[in-house]
Amino acid sequence: MRADRLVSLVLLLRQYGRLSATALARELEVSTRTVLRDIEALSAAGVPVYAERGRHGGFALLPGFRTELTGLNHDEALALLVAGSRRGAQAFGLGSALASAMLKVVDALPDSYRDTAAGAAERLLIEPEIDLLSRRVTDEEVPGVVAAEVLRAVFAGHKLDIHYAAEGRAPEWRTVDPVGLVTVRDRGYLLATRSGEDRTYRLSRILAARELAEPAQRPDRVDLDRAWQERSTRFRTGGDQVTVLVRVDPARREDLVGTALAVITEETGADGRLRMEVSFQDHRHARWALWQLATYAEVLTPQWLRDYLHDRAVAVAGRYAGGQ
């Protein structure tokens, strides 16, 4: 919306002091022609924006032009800035809205808080794109137009048509009753019902969405945390999932937990090793995950998995038994 863009333009000038039309266009993701039209609109509305000519010129606001936000202390400002550094908002298609909100917060802070809060926020990094092993976290893109339709339907309590691409199936249109939205590890999910049955849809797999005028059939109040836990339990215990009892070196516990679908039970044995009951999506998933742990883990049950790992280890040992 143009009104939001004009506010963002003013706040950018407030934060940086002076910016060229090219820099403003890059920040606002519009053309320089659009920026120039917006500058004219602001001037006509009485906003004191002016142009400075020359090599280091650009657009700026007259000193002292700002808004005020009262009642916000340093710790509250820091909390907002840290929250703004998280990538979770991307899961709901709210990244640009969050960035705009952070600009407004920073601009409205009293002078005594702005520099210290912003400086402190620079000392905190929340969920970077790669971990210590340089494994990149994969972001799931949610088109803005899709996110907007889903959000409107969820908040308004209206039915929603979604063009959904389930894994391994051709996309198809479905009419659902939206219940709420959940984000887990930067993945966004729509909790809904369809024909009275609970359904969970990954937002990145919704190719298109249309909010309908018809009211959604859903309770007036919802406990999303409980609803998510119930659906998570059904997911972990359904389908072709495999449960494995394994003895594992504590040093490799996180490796096992990171690949398993869920940890069902866990205890420490007399030898100091962990005895864990974990679940995997299917036989292939279990075989792959336990092979990665080599001698750091021992499968106790099921027997078919012990046999598979034994036979594979024998085959590998045979391959390397002789010379080249």
Side-chain angles (χ1 to χ4, degrees), residues 195-208:
S195 301
E197 298 291 330
D198 288 345
R199 295 289 185 269
T200 303
Y201 302 99
R202 189 180 296 184
L203 290 182
S204 61
R205 292 178 179 168
I206 299 178
L207 307 181

Side-chain angles (χ1 to χ4, degrees), residues 286-292 294 297-299 303-315:
R287 291 194 300 264
W288 173 84
L290 271 303
W291 178 257
Q292 310 306 309
E298 178 189 358
V299 172
Q303 186 61 43
W304 63 263
L305 184 54
R306 286 180 59 89
D307 293 341
Y308 166 81
L309 294 171
H310 172 272
D311 294 345
R312 186 172 182 182
V314 169

Side-chain angles (χ1 to χ4, degrees), residues 86-270:
R86 296 178 64 88
R87 303 190 337 269
Q90 300 294 341
F92 296 148
L94 295 174
S96 59
L98 181 59
S100 177
M102 289 302 102
L103 276 175
K104 294 177 183 179
V105 169
V106 171
D107 179 76
L109 286 176
D111 291 337
S112 58
Y113 291 155
R114 185 187 307 126
D115 293 339
T116 55
E122 291 177 355
R123 304 289 178 176
L124 302 173
L125 177 61
I126 310 297
E127 296 183 4
E129 292 186 0
I130 60 174
D131 62 15
L132 286 175
L133 299 179
S134 295
R135 294 174 297 194
R136 183 168 295 277
V137 177
T138 302
D139 289 333
E140 294 196 340
E141 295 292 334
V142 181
V145 63
V146 169
E149 287 293 309
V150 173
L151 285 169
R152 278 197 294 267
V154 169
F155 296 150
H158 292 166
K159 287 184 178 291
L160 181 70
D161 277 346
I162 58 174
H163 194 215
Y164 192 73
E167 187 174 6
R169 297 171 57 183
E172 63 178 27
W173 283 97
R174 313 173 186 196
T175 300
V176 302
D177 296 294
V179 174
L181 293 165
V182 176
T183 177
V184 180
R185 296 179 181 176
D186 291 335
R187 289 182 177 179
Y189 297 89
L190 168 66
L191 272 58
T193 61
R194 188 183 182 201
S195 301
E197 298 291 330
D198 288 345
R199 295 289 185 269
T200 303
Y201 302 99
R202 189 180 296 184
L203 290 182
S204 61
R205 292 178 179 168
I206 299 178
L207 307 181
R210 295 193 298 256
E211 178 193 6
L212 305 180
E214 183 181 354
Q217 300 299 312
R218 67 180 191 180
D220 293 334
R221 302 296 296 272
V222 62
D223 185 342
L224 276 184
D225 186 59
R226 180 178 179 181
W228 179 256
Q229 290 183 23
E230 291 175 348
R231 296 181 190 212
S232 177
T233 299
R234 288 198 295 269
F235 176 78
R236 293 196 307 268
T237 58
D240 299 323
Q241 292 176 17
V242 173
T243 299
V244 177
L245 183 61
V246 59
R247 186 183 293 118
V248 62
D249 187 321
R252 300 300 295 273
R253 178 190 181 278
E254 294 306 315
D255 294 325
L256 176 61
V257 172
T259 56
L261 197 60
V263 176
I264 302 172
T265 62
E266 178 179 352
E267 61 183 8
T268 302

